[in-house]
Amino acid sequence: MLPSQDLPRASSAGFRLLAVHAHPDDESSKGAATMAAYVAAGAEVMVATCTGGERGDILNAAMDGDAHAKRDLPGLRRVEMARAVAELGVQQRWLGFTDSGLPEGDPLPDLPFGCFALQPLERAAAPLVKLVREFRPHVILSYDENGGYPHPDHIMAHRVAVEAFEAAGDPARYPGTGEAWAPSKLYYDRAFNPERFRALHFALEEAGLQSPYAERLAQWLEADAEGHQPPAPAHATTTQIRCGDFFGHRERALIAHRTQVDPEGFFFAVSVELQQQVWPWEDYSLITSRVDSAVPEDDFFAGITPGT
């Protein structure tokens, strides 16, 4: 049973949230505590996973010799995903596309034939439009134009999420994918919000603890002529969802992705307790709203009537 002390609203019954992610593990590193909080408040929450993460590397050194990972990494990543989904209490659908991999080198190599990032937009978006029309979310959550970071699958996940948000309510578009449904709001995730890292960095220093964020902050400050502030984001934070009581669920969901996440690594460098004290929110940008909703806000469903 998920805890209920720290909820975005007293009840979210009747509301539906759809989060669009590129790979298994992205749902746990971006917005996981928010999703768990909304589930606890009574909302239906669905994760759409665009690819199976087939071309991912093993990023946890402790898994290097794992027989299952060596024999069938895609299959193991599905097992990991099931564990993370159970931890968060969300529903999940695979959209069925093949991981594009992260190209490296100079010049960058071509992306693999048939991969997600090379699909025509309408072909890539059609399964998501179908899911939107079936699940009927009030809110869609995705990445910004840079994909949160410039992985080709993240950028394509952004594109299909925007396409589905704009097209699913038009009965003339994507025929054969169900009855039209227009979601009310589109948000971009700000999991790597510089203000959050800055606050955590100074809190660690004040506590006499080593900060894992010093190098990242130094890189940001290099872009500031006066050396005082992180760079302005492409999309400012409009919405903070208070979900600190669910940070433990976020950590356990991340750990479930054991081929991708090192339990001694970056995501776990600050204790849950300190994060709850310093930054008990997850941050988002409201990009499009079809209802009246004043910002700043603390609830995705502000201004939306359930059942509409």
Side-chain angles (χ1 to χ4, degrees), residues 30-55:
K30 304 166 191 69
T34 294
M35 293 191 293
Y38 273 114
V39 168
E44 291 186 68
V45 180
M46 173 76 75
V47 171
T49 311
C50 295
T51 81
E54 298 87 353
R55 291 190 169 94

Side-chain angles (χ1 to χ4, degrees), residues 65-97:
D66 184 87
H68 192 172
K70 292 178 69 174
R71 181 182 70 253
D72 181 19
L73 181 59
L76 180 53
R77 294 198 72 177
R78 284 181 173 258
V79 172
E80 294 172 344
M81 185 68 173
R83 291 170 179 160
V85 163
E87 178 61 43
L88 299 176
V90 301
Q91 304 172 57
Q92 189 260 343
R93 292 281 186 87
W94 301 97
L95 296 190
F97 294 101

Side-chain angles (χ1 to χ4, degrees), residues 14 33 38 62 64 81 110 143 234 264 290:
Y38 273 114
D64 281 345
M81 185 68 173
D110 293 337
Y143 316 136
E264 303 298 323
R290 295 181 170 125

Side-chain angles (χ1 to χ4, degrees), residues 2 34 44 52 62 65-66 83 94 102 106 115 117 126 128 142 159 166 173 185 195 262 288:
L2 294 174
T34 294
E44 291 186 68
D66 184 87
R83 291 170 179 160
W94 301 97
L102 182 60
D106 187 12
C115 69
L128 185 60
S142 188
R159 294 181 64 204
E166 294 176 347
R173 300 184 66 185
K185 292 182 177 181
E195 289 86 355
D262 180 355
T288 306

Side-chain angles (χ1 to χ4, degrees), residues 49-179:
T49 311
C50 295
T51 81
E54 298 87 353
R55 291 190 169 94
D57 296 319
I58 296 176
L59 302 179
N60 177 6
M63 293 292 295
D64 281 345
D66 184 87
H68 192 172
K70 292 178 69 174
R71 181 182 70 253
D72 181 19
L73 181 59
L76 180 53
R77 294 198 72 177
R78 284 181 173 258
V79 172
E80 294 172 344
M81 185 68 173
R83 291 170 179 160
V85 163
E87 178 61 43
L88 299 176
V90 301
Q91 304 172 57
Q92 189 260 343
R93 292 281 186 87
W94 301 97
L95 296 190
F97 294 101
T98 301
D99 188 355
S100 305
L102 182 60
E104 296 178 314
D106 187 12
L108 291 175
D110 293 337
L111 293 176
F113 176 78
C115 69
F116 178 53
L118 293 182
Q119 298 298 314
L121 180 59
E122 287 197 359
R123 182 183 298 168
L128 185 60
V129 171
K130 185 175 186 297
L131 179 57
V132 169
R133 289 174 170 175
E134 175 187 327
F135 182 61
R136 299 165 70 87
H138 300 92
V139 169
I140 292 180
L141 173 62
S142 188
Y143 316 136
D144 65 17
E145 298 87 347
N146 194 45
Y149 83 106
H151 188 299
D153 285 337
H154 283 243
I155 293 169
M156 185 56 118
H158 155 79
R159 294 181 64 204
V160 300
V162 172
E163 174 76 357
F165 179 84
E166 294 176 347
D170 184 347
R173 300 184 66 185
Y174 293 89
T177 59
E179 183 180 352

